[in-house]
Amino acid sequence: MLRFCVLAAALAGAVAACLVCTTTGPWAAEARGGQGLVPVKLDFPKAIPIPSPKNFRPNEHQEPPPPADARPPQLLAPDGATNIALKKPVTSSDDSPIHGEHAQLTDGDKRGTEDTVLELGPGRQWVQIDLKGKHNIHGVVVWHFRPALRYYHDVVVQVADDPDFIANVRTLFNSDYDNSSGLGIGKDREYMETHHGRVIPCKDIAAAYVRLYSRGSTENDMNHYVEVEVYGTPAR
Amino acid sequence: MTRRIVPIAALFAVAAGALALRLPRLALRPMHGDEAVEAFKTGVLYDEGFYRYDPHEYHGPSLHYATLPFLWLSGAGSFAESSEVTFRLVDVAFGVGLILLLPLLADGLGWPATLAAALLTAISPAMVFYNRYYIHETPLVFFTLAAIATAWRYTRCGKLVWAILAAVSLALMHATKETCILAFAAMALALAASVGWRWLWGMRPPEGSNAFGRLRWTHLAIALAAALAVSVLLFSSFFTNWRGLLDSILTFANYLRRSGGAGMHDKPWNYYLKLLDHFQYGRGPVWSETLILAFAAVGFVAALWPSPLAPRPSPLLPFLAFYTLFLTALYSAVPYKTPWCMLSFLNGLCLLAGVGAAALVRLVPTHLLKGVALAALAVPTWQLAVQAYRASLDRRWVCDTRNPLVYAHTVFDLLEIPRRAEQLAALHPLGRQMVIKIIAPGRDYWPLPFYLRRFPNCGYWPKEDPRTGGVVELIPSDPDADLIIASPDVADQLEPKLRAAYFTEIRGLRPGVLLSVYIRRELWDAFIRAQSRPAAP
């Protein structure tokens, strides 16, 4: 009987301890399967129908064109997470863009019209956002171009602690399926440009800089960026 | 003697400048589908000695035969060993030849106008762009100018050699492109109009320039025989295809039907003039050859009316003015329009612009002021050269849709397909002997046959009946291959037939046109294993 009581008490204690941990600890949200994270209110530009070829098939490294009535993607982040990239300084691998200015990348205007696109030269190029200090990042959203029948190649999104991307570099997204950009083989799929852009969630990653690579598209050799948003909170 | 040497030296300097804009980076721009088709046909001629004139497509034989010496000199043992540079050099040579022909017209235009025309021809963005394009337009313009220049020489001295050269040039125009018929019509109309014009205003030809007085029937007969000989040689593929002679005439009915419109290339009448005057796509750069248009307008006036602009216009000038006017009108009237077609009348506009520029400078009273005027004109002239550089030599614009001279052009992304084929061939036990199948309705796969010319086991679908042109096999009965390149439009028919496993990627062909690339799985896995080590940061 005593044994039974001890076992029951130990079991009850363990359950109680688990309950306390999962409801109050810093890992509480994860342990509860995302509780504590709330959907970020993403502001998508107006949808434009894309004419796509007949019988367009998906494959393991390229997504098919999404349906016209596709639901907007969701990004979960802690309550209070904001676009920490807004109005932050931008640099790129192309000092003299073909048109547009670096500041347009984080100016909040994502209409995708001619005058809101930053166009960088041919081949592999990158843009980089200085978050002005370490932040806990929960997701990146990128719009390369207005909705169009085009796939950008070798889209790679990385974060790091230093502007030269030497210290603590982490890759959040990589669609370079053949390592043609030399940043390693990626497991993500190339996608068609839509008004939803690409939402890239990540799990509370602390970094001070965000860098996005691309290497032209199926349409031309240039690299375009309409807007990049980074959702997060100041580093704890 | 010195009076001639200086302008001729200046003309050679301009020709050298023209070469400097035309020669560099000839392989920079991907081959346009039309360039690739012509290069492929030349390749068959080079490898197998086979050429048949097709009255329905691909234009005349002169371009293909003119390419052979370039291929011989390049050292290419076969089409597979050739490069796009060799093919495009042919058009570069004809393009610079346009400038080297100008001294033949110097006594009609005047040396200042000749040099100005040479300069404008050398730096016109459209001229530079299409002089680096392996299609028939530049040779056509060259033979047209050669016909006018040598005919002009004949009117000046009455020597048989000029008559023969003029007739041969006319024959070569015919053997180059069927649109020569528009130039022939413009020449005939201009000849009649210029004679009528001089009669109307009571102008007498200057002493010793009566063209009709010098015309001898024997010369005409010999010249005609020489022209016929050239036509027979080229259209009969050097006596191996006599049907080509008949086809060279029947072709005009086909092209007349096509020019009538209701096709994808139909455009409004002012398409060419708008293209030359002002073009800006979105926030792209402004493109304009208004300088040439404006000078040509002045040249037109100077050519037709004796005035302080041109006190004693030569009999060549009214002809050139009317010829350019009629040719521009004819090309504008035809609904079927592609931007390279404007080269024919743009050449006339450059000549008239030279006349106009020289006339304007002549109006300025003192040498000092003339110098100031020339310096002022140097600014827009330099701007033309900058545009020419941007359109033809700047990687950012050479096949960008914001460049007005780019038309249904291959995108850079397509070059990834031959690059991938080479990467896979390096891992394949058979190397370049690996099997490639290309499937695209309407043969919408050009320029791939050019870029895959080093792969002998490369097949193309749909297969067509050679007599009716109807499709007899859309998809190969056994479509499996090491590499399959297919239009997404045939995926429904193709994919159920595939027995092997494939990795697929998507590549661009032209703006808005994509191709699916199927790579046999084992080959892809071998490639990825070779690629899997990331490069150093």
Side-chain angles (χ1 to χ4, degrees):
Chain A
M1 187 64 185
L2 182 65
R3 279 184 193 168
F4 174 76
C5 286
V6 169
L7 194 63
L11 197 62
V15 169
C18 282
L19 276 173
V20 169
C21 289
T22 53
T23 50
T24 58
W27 53 87
E30 272 185 44
R32 283 177 301 164
Q35 271 186 20
L37 300 179
V38 294
V40 174
K41 191 177 178 307
L42 295 172
D43 179 24
F44 295 108
K46 209 173 136 186
I48 301 173
I50 309 168
S52 63
K54 285 184 292 179
N55 306 330
F56 207 92
R57 300 297 180 88
N59 61 60
E60 63 197 280
H61 286 293
Q62 269 137 342
E63 293 177 2
D69 57 352
R71 291 177 62 186
Q74 222 181 33
L75 176 66
L76 295 175
D79 202 8
T82 56
N83 175 14
I84 51 177
L86 189 66
K87 311 285 184 194
K88 292 284 168 61
V90 177
T91 51
S92 84
S93 52
D94 188 349
D95 292 335
S96 49
I98 293 169
H99 82 68
E101 290 165 13
H102 289 131
Q104 286 177 302
L105 195 74
T106 54
D107 65 354
D109 187 344
K110 54 190 106 159
R111 286 171 298 155
T113 52
E114 277 284 336
D115 53 350
T116 64
V117 179
L118 169 68
E119 182 173 15
L120 307 181
R124 191 185 86 167
Q125 301 283 358
W126 51 259
V127 290
Q128 183 170 309
I129 303 165
D130 176 358
L131 299 175
K132 290 287 171 195
K134 264 198 172 176
H135 286 73
N136 287 79
I137 299 170
H138 291 269
V140 176
V141 192
V142 54
W143 289 265
H144 279 280
F145 205 70
R146 63 179 172 273
L149 179 61
R150 62 169 70 186
Y151 288 85
Y152 282 86
H153 297 309
D154 301 359
V155 173
V156 180
V157 181
Q158 292 183 330
V159 294
D161 294 347
D162 67 310
D164 298 322
F165 274 66
I166 295 168
N168 203 13
V169 178
R170 284 141 294 165
T171 300
L172 309 184
F173 185 91
N174 183 348
S175 65
D176 180 7
Y177 56 82
D178 61 354
N179 198 23
S180 46
S181 281
L183 295 164
I185 291 175
K187 296 291 180 201
D188 297 294
R189 294 205 291 178
E190 291 189 341
Y191 58 90
M192 190 173 283
E193 288 301 314
T194 72
H195 69 294
H196 288 143
R198 172 67 18 164
V199 175
I200 301 161
C202 58
K203 287 186 177 174
D204 196 9
I205 292 177
Y209 296 88
V210 180
R211 187 181 275 192
L212 300 98
Y213 294 85
S214 58
R215 193 171 64 86
S217 71
T218 52
E219 194 77 358
N220 65 34
D221 213 14
M222 313 302 177
N223 295 277
H224 305 92
Y225 290 89
V226 174
E227 190 73 12
V228 174
E229 293 179 342
V230 180
Y231 286 91
T233 51
R236 287 184 292 271
Chain B
M1 188 67 180
T2 315
R3 284 172 63 124
R4 268 197 189 173
I5 286 173
V6 172
I8 286 177
L11 189 111
F12 273 101
V14 172
L19 211 53
L21 275 172
R22 284 155 177 80
L23 266 185
R25 303 184 203 167
L26 275 175
L28 173 67
R29 181 172 44 77
M31 291 286 266
H32 186 279
D34 290 0
E35 288 184 284
V37 169
E38 302 302 348
F40 197 84
K41 284 182 75 72
T42 305
V44 173
L45 175 64
Y46 191 57
D47 286 350
E48 301 165 26
F50 177 86
Y51 174 83
R52 288 280 179 278
Y53 175 66
D54 183 338
H56 302 288
E57 282 289 353
Y58 316 124
H59 308 304
S62 68
L63 179 69
H64 308 290
Y65 285 107
T67 311
L68 294 181
F70 289 83
L71 285 167
W72 292 326
L73 288 171
S74 74
S78 67
F79 176 50
E81 292 173 20
S82 66
S83 77
E84 49 269 69
V85 172
T86 309
F87 291 100
R88 287 174 172 162
L89 271 175
V90 180
D91 283 71
V92 169
F94 280 114
V96 176
L98 282 174
I99 292 163
L100 298 177
L101 280 175
L102 289 178
L104 298 177
L105 295 168
D107 56 350
L109 298 173
W111 267 110
T114 305
L115 288 174
L119 181 63
L120 293 170
T121 306
I123 61 171
S124 155
M127 280 288 179
V128 175
F129 192 79
Y130 293 120
N131 287 175
R132 298 162 51 91
Y133 221 88
Y134 186 64
I135 54 172
H136 291 76
E137 224 58 45
T138 301
L140 173 68
V141 178
F142 175 86
F143 292 129
T144 307
L145 186 63
I148 293 171
T150 49
W152 169 248
R153 296 277 20 108
Y154 183 72
T155 66
R156 304 296 290 165
C157 66
K159 285 186 179 167
L160 175 63
V161 63
W162 294 116
I164 293 173
L165 286 173
V168 167
S169 298
L170 292 171
L172 286 169
M173 285 170 67
H174 178 210
T176 301
K177 198 175 175 190
E178 297 76 5
T179 46
C180 66
I181 198 86
L182 298 178
F184 292 157
M187 284 176 187
L189 287 169
L191 199 59
S194 55
V195 170
W197 182 263
R198 296 186 72 84
W199 173 80
L200 191 69
W201 294 95
M203 296 178 199
R204 288 190 171 188
E207 202 65 34
S209 69
N210 185 349
F212 295 106
R214 292 187 186 282
L215 196 62
R216 291 190 198 153
W217 292 111
T218 49
H219 288 183
L220 198 64
I222 294 168
L224 196 63
L228 271 175
V230 168
S231 277
V232 168
L233 272 179
L234 292 176
F235 280 111
S236 72
S237 310
F238 287 80
F239 315 120
T240 58
N241 172 38
W242 293 103
R243 168 77 197 189
L245 297 177
L246 180 63
D247 284 340
S248 76
I249 307 299
L250 296 178
T251 185
F252 289 112
N254 170 49
Y255 279 93
L256 188 67
R257 222 176 10 255
R258 190 186 290 187
S259 67
M264 61 187 288
H265 300 290
D266 288 6
K267 310 207 173 44
W269 71 271
N270 58 350
Y271 169 74
Y272 294 125
L273 294 175
K274 277 177 76 174
L275 219 55
L276 287 174
D277 178 42
H278 180 271
F279 182 91
Q280 187 178 24
Y281 187 91
R283 285 187 65 198
V286 174
W287 306 83
S288 173
E289 300 199 35
T290 303
L291 182 73
I292 292 175
L293 291 176
F295 278 153
V298 176
F300 187 82
V301 173
L304 291 182
W305 284 278
S307 65
L309 282 170
R312 292 181 60 204
S314 119
L316 176 67
L317 295 184
F319 171 81
L320 274 182
F322 283 122
Y323 165 75
T324 306
L325 179 71
F326 291 137
L327 195 59
T328 309
L330 285 170
Y331 270 105
S332 299
V334 174
Y336 181 105
K337 291 183 178 73
T338 50
W340 46 81
C341 285
M342 68 184 173
L343 232 59
S344 281
F345 64 83
L346 180 59
N347 185 229
L349 287 171
C350 286
L351 297 180
L352 280 182
V355 173
L360 283 175
V361 173
R362 198 181 306 122
L363 272 184
V364 179
T366 65
H367 284 300
L368 182 67
L369 288 175
K370 281 185 202 294
V372 172
L374 281 173
L377 287 177
V379 177
T381 307
W382 175 251
Q383 210 277 330
L384 265 188
V386 169
Q387 284 187 60
Y389 176 87
R390 196 166 55 198
S392 297
L393 294 163
D394 187 335
R395 183 185 165 95
R396 293 175 299 177
W397 304 109
V398 290
C399 62
D400 191 286
T401 48
R402 286 164 294 183
N403 176 346
L405 306 169
V406 167
Y407 187 78
H409 207 286
T410 311
V411 294
F412 273 111
D413 200 35
L414 183 98
L415 300 183
E416 297 294 327
I417 296 178
R419 196 171 71 93
R420 180 74 79 223
E422 292 289 351
Q423 289 169 334
L424 298 173
L427 298 166
H428 197 285
L430 297 175
R432 286 185 182 139
Q433 302 285 328
M434 69 181 193
V435 175
I436 303 176
K437 294 180 180 173
I438 300 175
I439 310 158
R443 297 184 197 174
D444 201 5
Y445 45 67
W446 289 96
L448 277 177
F450 175 81
Y451 284 113
L452 297 174
R453 64 194 181 284
R454 297 188 180 99
F455 293 82
N457 295 324
C458 196
Y460 299 89
W461 280 263
K463 297 293 181 197
E464 293 169 357
D465 185 320
R467 283 171 303 162
T468 62
V471 173
V472 291
E473 189 182 51
L474 177 67
I475 306 279
S477 51
D478 171 18
D480 283 299
D482 296 309
L483 183 64
I484 306 167
I485 301 155
S487 160
D489 291 350
V490 298
D492 271 353
Q493 295 99 314
L494 172 68
E495 291 186 5
K497 283 183 155 189
L498 296 174
R499 283 172 296 174
Y502 290 89
F503 170 86
T504 316
E505 56 183 347
I506 305 277
R507 292 292 171 192
L509 171 64
R510 292 190 306 278
V513 182
L514 300 177
L515 290 171
S516 299
V517 181
Y518 300 78
I519 301 163
R520 200 184 276 270
R521 173 61 66 179
E522 309 90 82
L523 203 51
W524 176 257
D525 289 344
F527 168 68
I528 283 299
R529 278 197 296 277
Q531 289 287 104
S532 56
R533 270 178 302 156

